[in-house]
Amino acid sequence: MPQLQAFASDPDNYLDNQIEAMRKSVYSEVNHLQNQLESDTATTQAQDSDSSTPNGGGFRSLLKTFIDPTEEEEEQVEAPEHHENQQLRQQFDHIKADADRTFDANKRQLQVSAAITRYEYQAVMSTYSSIAQFENILGNLKEDFMRALEVEGDNQHA
């Protein structure tokens, strides 16, 4: 019933809405990792631009950075950050590939399910005037059946 109701409310966009909802669900972790990668990349770029002009710039700063051994320490500190960024990129690539496979498989299932729902909707609408009428009949099916049995029993005894 929920599928029929959703289909009845927007038959033209029913499948698209389901695919978009699934896309958000499947790619949520991918989007989170992508945001994290972008944030790390922006942070790294900001650090690189800050470290490119230590002590104000100019010839003296160039000589100081060339001779200063603290620069080597900074490079050693940046190396683990770069390694972490590579690990994050690999994790992102792996999770995105998994999400792509899951999305493709689920998309096909949604397409089949939407086609079935469309046929069910057409069958219901060919017999009933609305989904609400169909729900009403389904809701009262047990009572109507019991009344029909009583009437049939009364007719057999008469």
Side-chain angles (χ1 to χ4, degrees):
M1 283 313 279
Q3 290 89 355
L4 284 175
Q5 291 169 339
F7 185 86
S9 68
D10 192 6
D12 295 333
N13 297 314
Y14 175 73
L15 179 60
D16 294 335
N17 292 340
Q18 285 190 323
I19 289 175
E20 187 58 31
M22 183 199 45
R23 180 186 315 276
K24 287 178 183 177
S25 172
V26 169
Y27 286 100
S28 65
E29 188 174 357
V30 172
N31 292 336
H32 174 72
L33 284 174
Q34 182 175 8
N35 292 339
Q36 192 174 355
L37 268 172
E38 290 171 358
S39 174
D40 287 353
T41 302
T43 302
T44 303
Q45 288 175 351
Q47 289 174 351
D48 288 346
S49 67
D50 288 346
S51 66
S52 66
T53 57
N55 303 325
F59 184 70
R60 285 185 181 166
S61 66
L62 180 63
L63 278 175
K64 179 152 176 72
T65 56
F66 182 72
I67 297 172
D68 193 8
T70 59
E71 186 68 21
E72 293 174 9
E73 293 173 10
E74 287 179 12
E75 287 177 10
Q76 291 175 355
V77 170
E78 288 180 28
E81 290 175 3
H82 181 68
H83 182 67
E84 289 174 13
N85 198 354
Q86 282 181 330
Q87 285 179 332
L88 191 59
R89 169 59 72 183
Q90 289 173 347
Q91 182 182 10
F92 170 80
D93 291 342
H94 177 70
I95 289 175
K96 183 166 183 334
D98 287 346
D100 288 342
R101 283 189 295 276
T102 301
F103 178 78
D104 290 341
N106 290 348
K107 182 179 178 183
R108 181 69 182 140
Q109 290 176 349
L110 281 177
Q111 289 169 330
V112 169
S113 176
I116 291 169
T117 301
R118 180 178 301 276
Y119 289 126
E120 289 173 344
Y121 178 78
Q122 290 171 351
V124 167
M125 295 309 290
S126 69
T127 306
Y128 303 100
S129 63
S130 68
I131 296 294
Q133 183 188 21
F134 179 63
E135 285 180 86
N136 186 28
I137 289 172
L138 286 179
N140 296 319
L141 192 60
K142 180 179 177 184
E143 292 84 19
D144 292 344
F145 180 70
M146 295 307 284
R147 271 188 246 128
L149 285 178
E150 288 174 9
V151 169
E152 185 179 307
D154 290 342
N155 288 341
Q156 286 181 353
H157 293 292

